[in-house]
Amino acid sequence: MRKLFLFLLLMSLISGCERGEEFSFEWTPGAFTVNPDASPEAKQLLQLLYDVSGKYTLTGQHNHPVFISGRTEEAKQLTGYYPAVWGQEFGQSLANSLDGVNFRQRNMEEAIRKYHQGFVITLMWHAIRPIDDEPGTFDGNVMARLTDTQWRKLLTPGTRLHQRWCDQVDVIAGYLAELRDAGVPVLWRPYHEPNGDWFWWCGNPERYKKLYRMLFDRFINVHHLNNLIWVFNGTEIRNNVMPYADFYPGDDVVDVLATDVYSENFQRSDYQDLLTLANGKPIGLGEVGKLPPPDTLANQPKYCWFMCWSGYLAEKNKAADIEAVYDAPNTLTLDEWKEFVRESTPPN
């Protein structure tokens, strides 16, 4: 019934995505960001995550750089609805490949368009090791290691390796600044899945926390990226995966917590561990392969959003299961999210 009501309500409006019109409303400041200079848009988005928590879960879809918004369009074709969350990453690989670095500018322009259509924007970056030069490969430069000596130099200001890291992240900061200047808030998931053992930043809690805080300091105090909502994003607890709490960089540098789930089941223990660590902050499912079923979301209602990974929507999910999630009364598609925002935004 809720879907029917919203459909009838929105019949008078043609989707902003289809018409190319801008979705807009008056932003009002929120109160919870770890960055005291956060933009009004970032504060408001974070406030909306608090508001939606426990009521609904936003549907979301990742797009590899080469696809721009192709996977988001695929979700629309499969379900009849656009997901509420548009996901993208900065990539690290050769031009015109899946994660080609040459797509960065194009995707920032797309992020601005998608924001004005009402989508929530979430971004990430599979960064290569700072000892390497871009473009790199996923296996050789992201799923790689640094020596103890390299880690010590990386985390020590004034060393050449630390400066290489500064130069590396400054490139990404330049793109995020474009979004800042356009008034686009971003759910920013830096150095995700640290409690695993596959990426160069994984596996060592103390090094990871220093790295995360180093990035936070540079993006906030050097580049003034006040449009970012900082997401600490772990991975589900299983063999060879350490507890979330071991890697948590601190309440003062984390706005939102998330986990990535690629197993068939969404364990209650992952949800509870994340909730306990969050201590009142919003939580989400940063990446999923199989969509969380409606009954799982009913039993784990504090997940504010999920983001299905690129091609996994069709590869890992049956058509009936996808439809069930997008039609569920406890999930929000793009048009439903836009209506929730309107209802949650105080009038002038």
Side-chain angles (χ1 to χ4, degrees):
M1 289 300 293
R2 181 180 73 93
K3 297 280 181 177
L4 178 60
F5 169 77
L6 287 170
F7 173 77
L8 294 173
L9 179 65
L10 293 167
M11 278 297 290
S12 60
L13 302 172
I14 301 175
S15 168
C17 295
E18 295 171 352
R19 292 177 60 183
E21 293 185 355
E22 178 173 321
F23 171 71
S24 63
F25 56 91
E26 293 295 325
W27 292 103
T28 55
F32 301 95
T33 51
V34 292
N35 176 7
D37 296 319
S39 67
E41 294 87 355
K43 291 179 180 179
Q44 182 67 20
L45 177 55
L46 185 56
Q47 179 64 65
L48 287 165
L49 292 183
Y50 276 91
D51 292 344
V52 82
S53 176
K55 301 174 185 175
Y56 304 108
T57 301
L58 279 65
T59 54
Q61 182 61 48
H62 181 69
N63 298 271
H64 275 114
V66 71
F67 296 129
I68 317 177
S69 291
R71 296 304 189 184
T72 295
E73 292 296 330
E74 179 185 45
K76 173 67 159 56
Q77 293 172 4
L78 291 172
T79 68
Y81 307 105
Y82 280 107
V85 177
W86 181 85
Q88 187 53 268
E89 71 165 285
F90 286 102
Q92 76 292 320
S93 62
L94 288 169
N96 300 319
S97 62
L98 187 68
D99 294 314
V101 296
N102 61 310
F103 298 124
R104 288 172 176 172
Q105 183 60 46
R106 185 184 68 177
N107 280 315
M108 292 306 96
E109 294 165 2
E110 180 73 353
I112 294 170
R113 285 192 292 269
K114 283 291 177 279
Y115 171 69
H116 287 300
Q117 292 170 356
F119 289 86
V120 174
I121 307 301
T122 183
L123 295 174
M124 59 179 296
W125 178 33
H126 285 100
I128 65 172
R129 296 177 300 181
I131 62 172
D132 301 322
D133 295 320
E134 287 187 335
T137 65
F138 192 83
D139 291 342
N141 305 108
V142 180
M143 298 183 70
R145 293 288 184 267
L146 292 175
T147 66
D148 292 344
T149 298
Q150 289 167 338
W151 266 109
R152 185 171 64 254
K153 292 179 179 180
L154 167 61
L155 298 173
T156 304
T159 66
R160 280 182 291 180
L161 185 52
H162 180 84
Q163 185 58 51
R164 281 183 63 91
W165 174 84
C166 291
D167 295 341
Q168 180 190 54
V169 301
D170 288 353
V171 171
I172 301 305
Y175 291 106
L176 290 170
E178 292 183 29
L179 301 186
R180 176 200 62 201
D181 295 344
V184 178
V186 175
L187 288 176
W188 172 237
R189 303 192 301 124
Y191 299 128
H192 66 304
E193 301 177 357
N195 53 328
D197 62 357
W198 34 89
F199 304 135
W200 64 263
W201 59 82
C202 288
N204 185 300
E206 295 311 309
R207 288 172 177 170
Y208 169 78
K209 286 185 280 190
K210 290 177 181 178
L211 179 68
Y212 181 107
R213 296 182 73 92
M214 197 163 70
L215 183 70
F216 181 91
D217 177 70
R218 189 159 189 86
F219 275 12
I220 297 298
N221 296 316
V222 176
H223 293 287
H224 308 292
L225 295 174
N226 298 330
N227 58 323
L228 304 184
I229 294 172
W230 288 79
V231 182
F232 165 71
N233 197 137
T235 189
E236 61 185 317
I237 308 302
R238 57 187 189 275
N239 292 339
N240 300 320
V241 174
M242 301 169 70
Y244 301 117
D246 290 359
F247 289 81
Y248 187 60
D251 287 340
D252 59 327
V253 292
V254 174
D255 289 306
V256 178
L257 291 79
T259 188
D260 295 349
V261 176
Y262 282 99
S263 63
E264 290 294 312
N265 299 311
F266 293 81
Q267 297 292 342
R268 178 77 185 185
S269 56
D270 280 299
Y271 173 74
Q272 194 58 56
D273 287 351
L274 208 61
L275 267 186
T276 299
L277 185 59
N279 192 29
K281 294 176 185 282
I283 66 170
L285 289 164
E287 299 173 20
V288 300
K290 180 179 172 58
L291 300 188
D295 59 345
T296 295
L297 295 177
N299 291 322
Q300 301 176 21
K302 292 287 188 176
Y303 283 130
C304 294
W305 84 94
F306 69 78
M307 184 183 72
C308 186
W309 188 254
S310 200
Y312 283 6
L313 185 62
E315 293 175 16
K316 302 291 185 180
N317 298 273
K318 297 178 181 178
D321 294 335
I322 300 171
E323 184 177 351
V325 173
Y326 271 71
D327 279 335
N330 55 339
T331 63
L332 295 181
T333 59
L334 176 62
D335 284 338
E336 293 169 329
W337 167 244
K338 288 156 69 171
E339 187 62 27
F340 180 88
V341 170
R342 291 189 185 99
E343 293 175 351
S344 301
T345 303
N348 289 335

